[in-house]
Amino acid sequence: GTPMVANLARAGHELYVHDLDPARTKQVADAHPVHAAGSLSELAPAEVVVTMLPNGHIVRDIYLGTGGLASALGRGTIAVDMSSSDPAGTRALGAELAPFGITLVDAPVSGAVPRATNATLAIMIGGDDAAAIERVKPVLSAMGNRLFETGGLGTGHAMKALNNFVAA
């Protein structure tokens, strides 16, 4: 995620970064013009929250676990999950976030670290809210030069899984 943070900052986006490891948060904040968030609650004013985590279970816990973001974020926030998550879990999380007024968009990437570094990732975008997808495209465009709208919520993650299968 660090190269993606660099590209977002370079594009002029105001960023707050958070990692469970405070030393990692500090390392990223020292290297880039971003704000270091010491806790998830410090992300509450965000209009867009981007997660790049190992799997969808962790993403779900970030939003709905004890002290999760869902209760702190404002209505109208867009959550963009760029992790390699399960499509069914993504659809379920979208339904669970809806009562909080949070719209979920899945946008996993392909291209590994070299393409993350030079902002040429391929990004597969799934979502049920076309307006939300349009709102996050400037954020996604700062990280990738090939944006593919794949359909409803979860289809970005499904396409990522298919892409990995074909590549293997």
Side-chain angles (χ1 to χ4, degrees), residues 78 103 105 128-137:
I78 302 171
T103 301
V105 172
D128 295 333
D129 184 329
I133 291 170
E134 287 304 312
R135 278 183 51 206
V136 299
K137 278 187 177 177

Side-chain angles (χ1 to χ4, degrees), residues 60-168:
R60 185 181 188 288
D61 191 52
I62 290 293
Y63 283 101
L64 299 171
T66 304
L69 274 173
S71 59
L73 294 171
R75 297 186 75 73
T77 301
I78 302 171
V80 180
D81 181 20
M82 300 187 84
S83 313
S84 293
S85 297
D86 171 62
T90 297
R91 288 189 299 274
L93 179 58
E96 290 175 286
L97 292 175
F100 292 94
I102 299 168
T103 301
L104 181 61
V105 172
D106 57 312
V109 303
S110 179
V113 174
R115 290 183 55 201
T117 301
N118 62 18
T120 59
L121 290 167
I123 303 175
M124 297 148 270
I125 308 164
D128 295 333
D129 184 329
I133 291 170
E134 287 304 312
R135 278 183 51 206
V136 299
K137 278 187 177 177
V139 173
L140 299 176
S141 294
M143 297 179 280
N145 65 346
R146 294 178 298 161
L147 306 181
F148 300 97
E149 291 187 46
T150 56
L153 186 61
T155 61
H157 286 134
M159 189 60 67
K160 166 75 180 214
L162 290 170
N163 182 62
N164 287 353
F165 178 76
V166 170

Side-chain angles (χ1 to χ4, degrees), residues 32-58:
H32 305 287
V34 302
H35 306 282
S39 68
L40 289 174
S41 63
E42 291 180 43
L43 304 176
E47 295 176 23
V48 175
V49 174
V50 176
T51 52
M52 175 62 86
L53 298 164
N55 62 57
H57 299 291
I58 298 169

